[in-house]
Amino acid sequence: MKKIINTKNAPAPIGPYSQAVLKGNMLYTSGQIALDPETGELVLGDIKTETKLVMENLKAVLTEAGMTFENVLKTSIFISDMKHFGSINEVYATYFNEATAPARETVEVANLPKYVNVEISMIASL
């Protein structure tokens, strides 16, 4: 059976999906964007601030599932403009040990929900 993971420390879903699903020892997170979990408002501005909030939202979901970034096996990063890659990567790198960092892809897309600049999802395992 799957277990739905939901925490008030990350933004509530804005559609028919869950923050994450745990199946066995595998966790699949939905993509997180820079929504403030307390206000539900977008936090846009500079890309580093936006990326940090995305990572903090993912951290809250991982924590609710009893995991940390050390449990992450793979991430998917969707960005609105590849020119932001370096800045996003700089913030992203502070959440992982380079020697054990997860697999990852980074893809530039035409648009993201609410026209944000970055969305990140993860797959993790206990």
Side-chain angles (χ1 to χ4, degrees), residues 40-55:
E41 297 295 320
L42 279 174
V43 178
L44 302 176
D46 73 90
I47 192 66
K48 288 183 180 181
T49 300
E50 194 173 335
T51 304
K52 181 169 177 48
L53 182 53
V54 169
M55 295 301 288

Side-chain angles (χ1 to χ4, degrees), residues 2 5 10 26 37 59 61 65 69 76 78 84 108 112 114:
K2 68 182 182 180
I5 303 298
M26 299 296 296
K59 181 179 179 180
V61 174
F69 286 106
S76 297
F78 303 95
H84 295 306
E108 180 181 273
L112 288 163
K114 296 188 176 275

